[in-house]
């Protein structure tokens, strides 16, 4: 309990990180609310392009549907995909990076070559190809496609961190005492890279959300009308994008949400290292 209080105390003192945390909490509440929100997707031409009002906070779209409710509903899928992709990428990157750094020898050579190979390929075009060839019928498969090409940079960084840590005195002493590898990894190494993993987890979620919205915008993933990417797609195709002033609210709302979410991740991650690393706090 004291550790949690200390964490939030440090985040509160870092005004940028605190602002990021507040925005992230707002998006999480929005995503949870999206589970229960009912959106009427029937076409109502008499309600087309209504300006913001008490009844329609962000106005209506080209078919007379409430823009704000679509944003809220779509946030559930967007954030769920991002969190799943963040966990998958973190797990894959940690396992490969930690194995390469701890094992050394030919295992390290093979895993490093494998990692470097993934770092050289163009990520987003391959995601596009994979998204068109694999049947995506749930958010887990969508997140897996995003994480398949996102783990390499993290694995390389974790390998470098572990190579540095395993030569330090406290790790050498643990090996001399005959302590087993799982104990060394989870009791000695993990506490020293927790803040690094947390920062990367937040930034991976941010990157995964941008990639998922991009694939949805291009029409390369299952049709979900309230997804922010599909809202942008429909705004461009059916509203006329920037050429139709009546559709500005429908076009700009998901763009603003994506920008604010990216900003919140960057702000929040700026204080994570200090909050999770006791040596920096002291």
């Amino acid at each position: 309990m004291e550790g949690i209080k200390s964490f939030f105390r440090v985040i509160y003192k870092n005004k940028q990180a605190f602002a990021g945390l507040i925005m992230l909490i707002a998006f999480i509440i929005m995503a949870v609310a999206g589970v229960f929100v009912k959106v009427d997707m029937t076409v109502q031409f008499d309600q087309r392009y209504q300006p913001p009002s008490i009844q329609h906070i962000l106005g209506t779209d080209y078919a007379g549907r409430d823009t704000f409710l679509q944003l809220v509903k779509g946030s559930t899928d967007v954030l769920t995909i991002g969190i799943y992709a963040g966990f998958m990428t973190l797990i894959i990157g940690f396992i490969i990076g930690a194995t390469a750094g701890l094992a050394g020898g030919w295992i390290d050579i093979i895993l490093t070559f494998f990692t470097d190979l993934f770092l050289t390929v163009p990520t987003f075009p391959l995601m596009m190809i994979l998204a068109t060839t694999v049947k995506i019928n749930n958010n887990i498969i969508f997140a897996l496609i995003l994480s398949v090409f996102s783990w390499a940079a993290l694995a390389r960084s974790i390998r470098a961190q572990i190579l540095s840590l395993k030569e330090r005195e406290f790790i050498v002493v643990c090996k001399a005492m005959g302590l087993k590898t799982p104990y060394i990894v989870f009791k000695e190494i993990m506490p020293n890279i927790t803040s690094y993993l947390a920062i990367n987890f937040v930034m991976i979620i941010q990157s995964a959300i941008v990639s998922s919205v991009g694939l949805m915008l291009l029409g390369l993933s299952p049709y979900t009308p309230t997804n922010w990417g599909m809202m942008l797609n429909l705004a461009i195709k059916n509203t006329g994008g920037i050429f139709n002033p009546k559709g500005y609210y429908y076009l700009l709302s998901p763009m603003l949400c994506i920008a604010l979410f990216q900003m919140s991740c960057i702000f929040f991650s700026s204080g994570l290292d200090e909050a999770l690393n006791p040596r920096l706090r002291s």
Side-chain angles (χ1 to χ4, degrees):
M1 183 64 69
E2 184 59 34
I4 296 175
K5 290 181 180 178
S6 177
F7 172 84
F8 285 107
R9 192 180 301 119
V10 174
I11 292 294
Y12 178 74
K13 290 180 180 177
N14 186 326
K15 299 306 179 186
Q16 189 178 50
F18 185 66
L21 176 62
I22 295 300
M23 287 192 288
L24 281 176
I25 291 173
F27 276 109
I28 292 171
I29 293 173
M30 181 178 176
V32 172
V35 177
F36 306 100
V37 166
K38 303 294 183 182
V39 183
D40 183 7
M41 298 302 292
T42 57
V43 177
Q44 304 176 54
F45 283 111
D46 59 323
Q47 296 293 320
R48 296 178 70 199
Y49 300 126
Q50 293 291 314
S53 62
I54 296 176
Q55 185 179 2
H56 304 291
I57 298 175
L58 292 174
T60 59
D61 64 5
Y62 63 93
R65 300 170 298 205
D66 191 282
T67 300
F68 178 72
L69 292 180
Q70 291 183 67
L71 272 180
V72 174
K73 190 68 176 179
S75 67
T76 304
D77 277 343
V78 171
L79 265 68
T80 301
I81 291 169
I83 292 171
Y84 282 159
F87 275 116
M88 291 178 185
T89 303
L90 195 68
I91 291 170
I92 296 171
F94 179 78
I95 291 174
I96 293 177
T99 303
L102 290 169
W106 63 269
I107 295 178
D108 182 23
I109 293 173
I110 292 174
L111 291 178
T112 301
F113 172 78
F114 191 58
T115 301
D116 290 342
L117 187 64
F118 269 79
L119 284 172
T120 59
V121 298
T123 303
F124 194 73
L126 283 178
M127 284 184 188
M128 293 170 58
I129 295 171
L130 194 58
T132 56
T133 55
V134 176
K135 183 178 180 180
I136 304 174
N137 50 24
N138 59 61
N139 290 337
I140 295 178
I141 294 177
F142 199 172
L144 183 59
I145 290 174
L146 296 174
S147 61
V148 163
F149 300 103
S150 305
W151 59 266
L154 177 62
R156 190 174 181 84
S157 299
I158 290 174
R159 173 184 175 272
Q161 294 272 339
I162 290 178
L163 285 175
S164 173
L165 285 171
K166 77 175 188 177
E167 299 301 328
R168 297 194 181 175
E169 293 80 1
F170 65 95
I171 299 296
V172 174
V173 170
C174 288
K175 291 180 179 178
M177 292 173 62
L179 296 176
K180 294 182 179 180
T181 300
Y183 177 88
I184 296 174
V185 171
F186 292 104
K187 295 294 185 178
E188 301 295 338
I189 292 179
M190 281 293 289
N192 286 278
I193 62 173
T194 299
S195 60
Y196 182 79
L197 293 176
I199 292 170
N200 275 274
F201 177 67
V202 173
M203 299 312 295
I204 289 168
I205 291 176
Q206 174 258 325
S207 178
I209 285 177
V210 173
S211 297
S212 68
V213 169
L215 292 174
M216 187 68 73
L217 170 62
L218 296 173
L220 299 176
S221 54
Y223 177 77
T224 307
T226 57
N227 183 285
W228 295 347
M230 186 53 66
M231 288 178 68
L232 290 171
N233 180 299
L234 295 174
I236 294 170
K237 286 184 177 180
N238 299 337
T239 303
I242 62 173
F243 302 106
N244 182 2
K246 293 181 178 179
Y248 279 174
Y249 291 104
Y250 183 62
L251 173 67
L252 296 177
S253 296
M255 293 174 63
L256 181 61
C257 281
I258 295 167
L260 287 175
F261 186 83
Q262 287 185 287
M263 186 186 300
S264 64
C265 288
I266 294 170
F267 283 2
F268 181 56
S269 63
S270 68
L272 276 179
D273 196 18
E274 182 182 359
L276 294 173
N277 194 329
R279 289 176 295 180
L280 290 179
R281 291 203 299 268
S282 60

